[in-house]
């Protein structure tokens, strides 16, 4: 055990950081030091010689979080940390696709379209198809296509299934007075045209970065073998917020060598509106039956009064993994409920 790392950790954190190998699920309650655990685990994997810096893939959800993790690991590892892949899902996939886009018909210097770029292109697609952009709002179509891509529903599947991300929206909210089926028929046409136009201009949208990288791994076994060999350990933060495409990407990379660490908390899953699927963290032990589970339950942020209230509330959540946060910060002030108009 690396004593320099161990001295800053509590017992459960040490258990996670120094886990010997194999799949690891860290259920990190709010304020329990999950970022420190993820950072120290990454540092320990490298300092102990289990992997080289360039053989790790650490994935976060924001550029800010990736930058903070890079800085923390650099303080522990020094110059060798520059070789690590510490980035968001989209940044990692964009970097890989710069090498592999040619396999899918794109050039390596492809442009990445943001939301506004996508909406503008969809307006052109509607013009191509002689469809009214007021009747079929481009932004609504963009959201529907984005939902489909996050679920790995391609153009052909979208057309066959006649669905791709309606969620709980009504026909009126989808914007078609002919009803949902008519709207989805049009959306399927627009989706197909949109993908064709993206290919013509050598562009990928943000959702394509994930979906197309999954396509590469699924369609080209030699590239899957390459990335499995490159990334000897995969670490993922905020695993409860992963969508279908992100889940499949991680599983493809890690299911053979099984050196994967995921950190998250099913009680903090709040991004279902953008495709996050809480089932991903709940079924991690089904995907990796030999997984070790470590619960981080000591909270360093809140009083025991606040935690008692929080524990009482989340205990009613269905399908959750039981946790009971506790703190040494004392009872603190009573919780006040303020009802606003």
């Amino acid at each position: 055990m690396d004593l320099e790392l161990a001295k800053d950790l509590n017992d459960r954190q040490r258990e996670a950081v120094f886990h010997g190998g194999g799949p690891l699920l860290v259920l990190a309650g709010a304020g329990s030091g999950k970022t420190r655990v993820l950072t120290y685990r990454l540092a320990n994997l490298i300092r102990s010689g289990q992997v080289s810096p360039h053989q790790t893939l650490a994935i976060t959800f924001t550029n800010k979080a990736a930058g903070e993790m890079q800085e923390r690991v650099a303080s522990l590892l020094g110059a060798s940390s520059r070789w690590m892949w510490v980035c968001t899902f989209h940044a990692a996939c964009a970097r890989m696709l710069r090498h592999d886009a040619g396999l899918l018909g794109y050039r390596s210097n492809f442009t990445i379209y943001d939301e506004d770029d996508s909406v503008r292109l969809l307006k052109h697609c509607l013009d191509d198809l002689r469809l009214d952009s007021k009747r079929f709002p481009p932004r609504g179509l963009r959201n529907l296509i984005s939902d489909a891509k996050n679920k790995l529903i391609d153009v052909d599947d979208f057309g066959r299934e006649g669905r791709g991300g309606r969620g709980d929206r009504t026909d009126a909210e989808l914007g078609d007075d002919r009803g949902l089926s008519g709207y989805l028929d049009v959306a399927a046409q627009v989706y197909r045209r949109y993908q064709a136009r993206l290919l013509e201009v050598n562009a990928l949208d943000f959702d394509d970065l994930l979906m197309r990288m999954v396509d590469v791994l699924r369609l080209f076994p030699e590239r899957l073998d390459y990335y499995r060999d490159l990334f000897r350990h995969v670490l993922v933060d905020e695993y409860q917020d992963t969508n279908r495409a992100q889940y499949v990407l991680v599983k493809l990379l890690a299911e053979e060598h099984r050196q994967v660490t995921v950190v998250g908390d099913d009680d903090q899953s709040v991004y279902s509106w953008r495709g996050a699927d809480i089932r991903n963290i709940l079924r991690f032990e089904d995907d990796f039956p030999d997984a070790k589970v470590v619960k981080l339950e000591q909270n360093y942020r809140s009083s025991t009064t606040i935690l008692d209230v929080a524990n009482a509330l989340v205990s009613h959540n269905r399908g959750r993994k039981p946790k009971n946060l506790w703190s040494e910060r004392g009872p603190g002030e009573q919780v006040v409920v303020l009802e606003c108009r």
Side-chain angles (χ1 to χ4, degrees):
M1 181 180 292
D2 189 320
L3 297 180
E4 182 184 352
L5 297 178
K7 66 182 176 60
D8 296 326
L9 306 170
N10 64 37
D11 289 344
R12 295 287 76 76
Q13 290 171 340
R14 289 191 198 98
E15 189 178 357
V17 167
F18 298 109
H19 171 60
L24 172 65
L25 169 61
V26 181
L27 294 173
S32 62
K34 74 176 180 63
T35 303
R36 170 169 291 189
V37 166
L38 196 61
T39 302
Y40 277 42
R41 175 147 181 78
L42 180 55
N44 180 65
L45 288 169
I46 294 169
R47 283 166 63 148
S48 65
Q50 296 180 59
V51 291
S52 298
H54 68 273
Q55 293 177 317
T56 58
L57 173 61
I59 300 176
T60 66
F61 269 79
T62 66
N63 290 322
K64 180 182 178 182
E68 290 175 352
M69 185 180 297
Q70 188 86 44
E71 289 179 6
R72 291 195 186 194
V73 177
S75 69
L76 298 170
L77 296 177
S80 64
S81 64
R82 73 182 65 174
W83 302 106
M84 299 183 311
W85 286 54
V86 180
C87 47
T88 65
F89 273 104
H90 292 92
C93 289
R95 185 172 170 183
M96 289 186 275
L97 283 170
R98 293 297 178 192
H99 295 280
D100 295 314
L103 297 171
L104 302 176
Y106 296 87
R107 298 187 301 279
S108 62
N109 63 340
F110 58 81
T111 302
I112 300 174
Y113 275 17
D114 63 17
E115 183 174 346
D116 289 337
D117 295 325
S118 296
V119 170
R120 278 193 292 271
L121 184 58
L122 282 165
K123 289 179 181 177
H124 291 306
C125 293
L126 289 168
D127 291 339
D128 293 344
L129 297 169
R130 298 183 179 181
L131 294 168
D132 184 357
S133 61
K134 292 183 179 179
R135 191 174 187 182
F136 304 101
R139 199 165 294 277
L141 288 167
R142 185 261 172 197
N143 292 338
L144 191 66
I145 292 170
S146 175
D147 286 345
K149 290 182 178 182
N150 285 332
K151 296 172 183 173
L152 298 179
I153 300 173
D154 64 16
V155 169
D156 292 330
D157 289 337
F158 189 100
R160 281 195 297 266
E161 296 177 13
R163 65 185 69 247
R166 177 186 182 184
D168 295 326
R169 288 171 290 173
T170 65
D171 290 353
E173 289 171 326
L174 286 168
D176 180 20
D177 57 8
R178 296 179 305 166
L180 177 62
S181 60
Y183 182 89
L184 290 177
D185 288 341
V186 171
Q189 296 177 53
V190 175
Y191 187 5
R192 186 175 297 278
R193 182 59 186 154
Y194 174 65
Q195 290 306 110
R197 288 289 296 262
L198 284 171
L199 185 59
E200 288 173 10
V201 298
N202 192 42
L204 298 170
D205 64 25
F206 265 53
D207 302 305
D208 277 327
L209 295 175
L210 301 175
M211 188 175 188
R212 293 308 177 203
M213 196 59 227
V214 170
D215 285 343
V216 169
L217 299 179
R218 282 175 163 175
L219 296 173
F220 301 95
E222 69 280 5
R223 298 310 292 162
L224 176 59
D225 290 341
Y226 170 81
Y227 286 112
R228 283 176 170 174
D229 186 60
L230 175 62
F231 301 128
R232 297 296 182 88
H233 203 110
V234 179
L235 305 95
V236 186
D237 193 13
E238 305 289 6
Y239 194 67
Q240 78 279 355
D241 291 331
T242 52
N243 60 33
R244 173 69 181 171
Q246 292 160 340
Y247 162 79
V248 170
L249 182 75
V250 172
K251 189 176 180 185
L252 283 169
L253 291 173
E255 65 183 348
E256 183 174 89
H257 59 57
R258 310 180 76 73
Q259 301 305 318
V260 55
T261 297
V262 301
V263 181
D265 181 6
D266 50 306
D267 290 329
Q268 297 186 67
S269 180
V270 294
Y271 288 110
S272 60
W273 57 273
R274 70 178 186 192
D277 190 344
I278 194 174
R279 291 174 297 181
N280 295 344
I281 193 169
L282 295 176
R283 67 187 173 198
F284 184 81
E285 293 166 88
D286 295 327
D287 295 331
F288 299 96
D290 54 333
K292 181 178 182 61
V293 180
V294 177
K295 296 180 183 181
L296 304 183
E297 296 174 298
Q298 182 174 359
N299 177 287
Y300 292 93
R301 182 187 303 159
S302 304
S303 67
T304 56
T305 300
I306 290 174
L307 295 178
D308 288 344
V309 172
N311 287 329
L313 284 172
V314 299
S315 66
H316 297 284
N317 290 354
R318 288 175 294 178
R320 68 185 291 266
K321 293 181 178 293
K323 293 176 293 297
N324 192 63
L325 298 185
W326 59 276
S327 173
E328 295 180 341
R329 292 175 61 88
E333 298 180 13
Q334 289 298 305
V335 172
V336 176
V337 178
L338 179 63
E339 183 176 354
C340 300
R341 190 172 65 176

